[in-house]
Every structure is written in C-alpha cells, then in structure tokens.
Amino acid sequence: MKQLQITNYRLQILTALILSLLFNKNFAQTARDTGKYSFSQQQAIDFAMKSQLQVQNAMYDEDIAKEKVKETVGLGLPQINGSFDVKDFIDLPTSLIPAEFFGGPPGTYMGVKFGTQYNAAAGASASQLVFNSDYLVGLQATKTYLELTRKATQRTKIDVSVAVTKAYYSVLINNERMKTMDANIDRIKKLMSDTKALNENGFVEKIDLDRITVTYNNLLVEKDKLQRLIGLGESLLKFQMGMDQSATLALTDKLEDVKFQPEISTEKFDYGKRIEYSLLQTQKNIAQLELKRNKMGYLPNMFLYGSATANAYRQKFDFFDTKQGWYPTILIGGTINVPIFDGLQKNYRIQQAKVSLLKAENNLKSIQQTIDLDRASAQINLQNASSA
C-alpha cells in the first residue's frame, strides 16, 4: 500500500512537470503568435541577444572565422588530385626529318606524321608542405583572428545590452513623467475650476483665470508631446531589441524598484576588463605576428610531391580494352626554395610591420587614457545623481 502511494505521488509530480512545460511552451507560443510581450529589463536584453540582427551577424562572423581556421589548417595537409585526359587527333601533328634518311637530297626535309589518333592519360598527384614560414605564422594569425571575432561578438552584445537598457529606462522615465504630468493637469484643472467660481462671484479678476487657463492649455500641449515621445521611445526600444514594430510590449520593471549605491574603487583598474582595450590588445598581437611573418620570410620553403600517370595510345577509341596496355610513369620529388635577393622587399615590409606595431602600442595607451577619463566622468556623474 505504501509503495502504491509513493508511485501515485511520483505520477502527480511528473504530471505537474509536464503541465508546467506545456503551459510555458504554450505561453511563449502565444506571445509569438499574438505579438504581445511583457518584459523586464533583463528579459528585454535576453530577447535582443536572440533577435537583434547585429548580434546575429557578429555570431555569423565568428562562424566564418572558425571555418577560416580550418581552411588554413587544410593547407598543411596532403594535397591530392586526380586527372583523366582524352585527345582525338583529327589531324596528327607533322614532324620534319632530314629527307636524306629516305634517299632524298641532303639539306632537305620531309614532313611525316607520327602517333595514334586517340591518346589518353590518367594519373594522380600528391604534394605535402614540409616547411613554410608563412603557413606557420598564418596558423597563429587565424587563431588570433578567431579570438578577435569572438571579442567583436562580445562587444556587439555589450553595445546592444547597453542600448536596450537605455531605451528601456528611458520609457520608464517618460511613463513616470506622464504620471507627474497627469497629476499637475488634475491640480491645475481643479485650480482653474475653483478660480472660475471665484471669478463668477467677484472674488478674483478675469486675468487671473486667464493665466491659469493658459497654464492648463500649455500642460495639455506638453502632455501630447510627452505621449508622442513615449511612443517614439517604445519604438526605439523595439528596434534595439530586434522586435517587430507592430508587436505590443509592456514593461514590468518599476523605477522605484531600482536601487543603486555608487561605489568608488581605490584599487588599480584592470584595463583588460574593458572589451575595447581587449580588442586593441588582440590587434597588437596581430601586428606582432605580421612582423614575425616578414622576418621569417628569409627562411627556405620545402615541399614534397609525387605523381603516377598512365598513358594509352589507340587507333580506335577502345581505351578500356584490357588486351592493349597502358604505359605508366611514376615519380617522386622535393623542392626547396631559398630566397637569395628580392630587391630588399622583405626588409621594407619588416620596417612597415615595425611601424604598425608602434601604432598598435600607441592605440593601447590612447584607450587607457580614454578609459581613465570615462571612469572619472562616470564616478562624478554617479555621485551627482545619487545626491540629487
């Protein structure tokens, strides 16, 4: 009996889980079908990470970089090719031989035709890169390039997150402004009504009523402007999220729930935490690899290769006749290319790479100065905002 109760209890839990999953799935599907969403600030960011086209393109660039790394690795793997060639000599080529071989006068030539009408050649060739400085540095460069695209994706996500957050709280602020505007309109409207009654009874002058009426009308105009501004802010938020403009979006966060306490850190700042600095550091690494590649350009290159071919000669098109043979040729070899003098081109490329590396180092120093200024400005703005 106890075992039966446990089994029923487990069935109830399983049923509840299934219903919960179905409800969440149906709820999400309903939101997509009806175009109605209710998002917190974090949910809006999560939606943007999946729907924003900039984020998607950044991730596509990362996928391209991954395939580029594989392509570069493939250059160092054996390269194998096959071929099959068939020729039909409608008119055989003519060769000239001394006519005296056939009893002709010395110093003259006779045209003769050699060969068969049909020739065929089938073969396979393979090559293997043994050592190449460009390839070795290129492997490192592609991995650094992949790292660069990953950081670029991270930066895009950060930028989108910041843009969504700003747009989200901008709408919240304008909604609060609308509440304040409505309260002011109600207060002025009551004051206008009271003043009108006092004017009708001779307690205040007409000019006082006119002033309050003008103020009331101005508030109504400002309310219309604010209402359009709220609509524009919501459209901007949808755009930053990658959401269709026809969708209905409700914001669930409240400004009164937002609490922050600015903290002034006295510890040494780690510039590597800023994605801009990290990107420039990766670009510096690429500049170092370019300098290394040019310096290694003075090293020799080595390749191994081999091929196997077979030729057939026929008067009839019967290359698959096993009674007639094919004539094979097989060879293997290697090539070493040693650079001797290139008009100092490599030297000039090295000098260019050195200057590019100096520029990359200056860019890192420049971004450090920019980050220091941003931090100082942000700390002052936070302190002013918190004390306001």
Side-chain angles (χ1 to χ4, degrees):
M1 183 67 180
K2 183 177 180 181
Q3 182 67 30
L4 181 60
Q5 292 177 347
I6 294 175
T7 303
N8 290 335
Y9 178 70
R10 290 176 176 174
L11 287 174
Q12 291 175 1
I13 294 177
L14 180 61
T15 302
L17 289 173
I18 294 175
L19 290 176
S20 176
L21 290 173
L22 290 175
F23 174 77
N24 290 334
K25 180 179 179 181
N26 291 334
F27 178 79
Q29 185 66 40
T30 300
R32 288 192 295 268
D33 293 342
T34 60
K36 296 182 179 180
Y37 301 90
S38 296
F39 283 159
S40 66
Q41 178 250 347
Q42 185 57 50
Q43 289 173 331
I45 293 176
D46 294 339
F47 183 92
M49 293 301 105
K50 298 178 181 178
S51 304
Q52 239 292 341
L53 297 180
Q54 293 180 9
V55 176
Q56 293 179 7
N57 285 340
M59 297 180 69
Y60 289 151
D61 289 338
E62 189 175 331
D63 292 338
I64 292 173
K66 292 178 182 177
E67 300 303 321
K68 188 67 176 178
V69 171
K70 297 176 183 178
E71 177 190 357
T72 305
V73 171
L75 294 175
L77 300 178
Q79 309 294 309
I80 302 175
N81 297 290
S83 63
F84 184 80
D85 179 70
V86 178
K87 293 182 175 65
D88 180 0
F89 288 96
I90 298 175
D91 192 358
L92 290 174
T94 301
S95 299
L96 296 179
I97 62 174
E100 60 182 316
F101 290 168
F102 301 95
T108 61
Y109 295 89
M110 178 182 296
V112 296
K113 294 184 178 182
F114 295 101
T116 57
Q117 180 178 354
Y118 299 101
N119 294 347
S125 62
S127 62
Q128 173 62 57
L129 176 65
V130 178
F131 179 81
N132 182 274
S133 59
D134 286 348
Y135 174 73
L136 296 178
V137 180
L139 279 180
Q140 302 177 46
T142 52
K143 293 178 181 179
T144 305
Y145 172 65
L146 176 58
E147 178 186 355
L148 184 64
T149 56
R150 286 173 176 168
K151 290 180 179 179
T153 301
Q154 182 182 354
R155 180 176 184 175
T156 301
K157 289 182 178 180
I158 292 174
D159 291 342
V160 170
S161 176
V162 170
V164 170
T165 300
K166 288 181 178 180
Y168 191 96
Y169 284 109
S170 176
V171 174
L172 290 183
I173 291 171
N174 286 331
N175 285 335
E176 290 299 319
R177 289 177 60 192
M178 179 60 73
K179 293 178 182 179
T180 303
M181 179 71 71
D182 289 336
N184 288 334
I185 289 175
D186 291 340
R187 181 175 59 83
I188 297 299
K189 184 177 181 180
K190 184 178 184 307
L191 179 61
M192 184 178 64
S193 178
D194 295 342
T195 304
K196 182 178 180 181
L198 291 173
N199 174 257
E200 290 174 350
N201 289 281
F203 291 103
V204 296
E205 297 182 2
K206 180 69 166 53
I207 190 172
D208 295 326
L209 176 61
D210 292 341
R211 289 172 179 171
I212 297 175
T213 302
V214 170
T215 301
Y216 176 76
N217 291 333
N218 288 339
L219 286 176
L220 292 179
V221 173
E222 291 300 320
K223 179 180 179 180
D224 290 339
K225 293 180 179 179
L226 183 57
Q227 189 65 53
R228 289 190 289 269
L229 186 61
I230 291 175
L232 178 61
E234 292 177 347
S235 297
L236 177 61
L237 176 57
K238 293 176 184 177
F239 171 78
Q240 301 292 7
M241 292 172 58
M243 178 181 289
D244 192 276
Q245 290 293 332
S246 62
T248 302
L249 176 62
L251 310 186
T252 59
D253 284 355
K254 305 297 181 183
L255 278 181
E256 55 266 23
D257 297 332
V258 179
K259 301 183 184 298
F260 79 95
Q261 182 65 35
E263 298 181 0
I264 308 301
S265 176
T266 58
E267 298 180 0
K268 185 177 180 180
F269 182 73
D270 182 9
Y271 295 100
K273 293 181 179 179
R274 289 285 293 265
I275 189 62
E276 303 95 324
Y277 183 89
S278 183
L279 280 168
L280 289 177
Q281 182 64 54
T282 304
Q283 291 177 358
K284 177 185 174 182
N285 294 338
I286 293 177
Q288 290 174 333
L289 288 172
E290 179 65 15
L291 177 59
K292 180 180 179 180
R293 184 184 73 85
N294 287 309
K295 287 183 177 180
M296 294 180 66
Y298 290 105
L299 298 177
N301 301 322
M302 180 179 295
F303 302 86
L304 296 178
Y305 60 87
S307 67
T309 59
N311 297 282
Y313 308 96
R314 303 284 193 270
Q315 291 293 350
K316 298 180 179 180
F317 197 88
D318 55 356
F319 294 108
F320 301 102
D321 185 358
T322 57
K323 295 181 180 180
Q324 302 188 59
W326 287 68
Y327 305 94
T329 301
I330 301 175
L331 66 88
I332 58 174
T335 300
I336 298 179
N337 295 320
V338 181
I340 298 176
F341 182 73
D342 63 352
L344 299 178
Q345 294 182 60
K346 292 186 182 66
N347 176 66
Y348 298 140
R349 286 195 291 266
I350 289 174
Q351 301 309 317
Q352 294 175 49
K354 288 181 178 179
V355 176
S356 297
L357 182 56
L358 292 175
K359 287 182 60 180
E361 292 174 349
N362 282 342
N363 289 337
L364 280 175
K365 294 177 182 179
S366 177
I367 195 64
Q368 287 181 1
Q369 296 173 356
T370 302
I371 291 173
D372 290 339
L373 177 61
D374 289 345
R375 291 180 66 239
S377 176
Q379 288 176 353
I380 293 174
N381 290 335
L382 281 174
Q383 289 176 339
N384 292 340
S386 61
S387 60

